[in-house]
Amino acid sequence: MRIIHNLSKEARTRIIELLLQKRSKRELAEELGLSPAAITKFLNNTTHPSDETIEKAFKIATEREKREIIDIILDDLLESLEEFVEETNVMGRKILKIKKIINSAMFS
């Protein structure tokens, strides 16, 4: 998923924290093909999960966790977009297109 590449470090860490609510560090590490030390580094903000790790996290997630991951991703992207719009003072065709996409999603 290309959208994952744009996630903030904080959102990536929140996804790992979410998955740890129902798993031990060791279990999550095994499911993601990582070491438990890597999970600890994510939680300590020493390193951050790669795009590949986040994609694997989505694949191993339960349906409830997937919905929560989607919320984390959308919140992060919306926050990023809002910050961009405010800093650039942009209100053009592309912003109107984004609004159209959001409106159609809300009413489908």
Side-chain angles (χ1 to χ4, degrees):
M1 280 189 273
R2 194 170 85 187
I3 202 163
I4 288 174
H5 185 71
N6 296 309
L7 286 178
S8 68
K9 294 173 183 175
E10 295 80 13
R12 292 167 184 267
T13 301
R14 285 180 27 223
I15 291 168
I16 296 300
E17 291 170 341
L18 169 70
L19 294 176
L20 283 171
Q21 290 176 2
K22 301 287 182 181
R23 300 165 178 82
S24 69
K25 286 182 191 177
R26 180 173 300 284
E27 290 169 331
L28 181 59
E30 286 176 11
E31 289 183 76
L32 295 175
L34 302 169
S35 69
I39 302 298
T40 299
K41 287 179 182 180
F42 298 157
L43 298 173
N44 292 333
N45 293 315
T46 305
T47 61
H48 297 91
S50 67
D51 293 356
E52 181 181 303
T53 297
I54 296 300
E55 287 179 16
K56 284 182 185 176
F58 191 76
K59 287 178 184 172
I60 66 161
T62 64
E63 287 305 311
R64 181 194 60 80
E65 289 169 333
K66 284 181 182 179
R67 287 191 301 274
E68 290 186 46
I69 291 171
I70 289 168
D71 282 345
I72 290 169
I73 292 170
L74 290 174
D75 287 345
D76 190 65
L77 293 174
L78 288 171
E79 187 176 308
S80 177
L81 179 61
E82 183 177 45
E83 181 181 302
F84 173 75
V85 169
E86 287 174 5
E87 288 181 12
T88 60
N89 202 22
V90 167
M91 188 56 182
R93 284 189 352 248
K94 293 193 186 257
I95 298 299
L96 294 174
K97 185 176 180 179
I98 291 168
K99 284 183 174 182
K100 184 177 177 181
I101 291 168
I102 292 169
N103 283 334
S104 68
M106 287 174 57
F107 299 109
S108 11

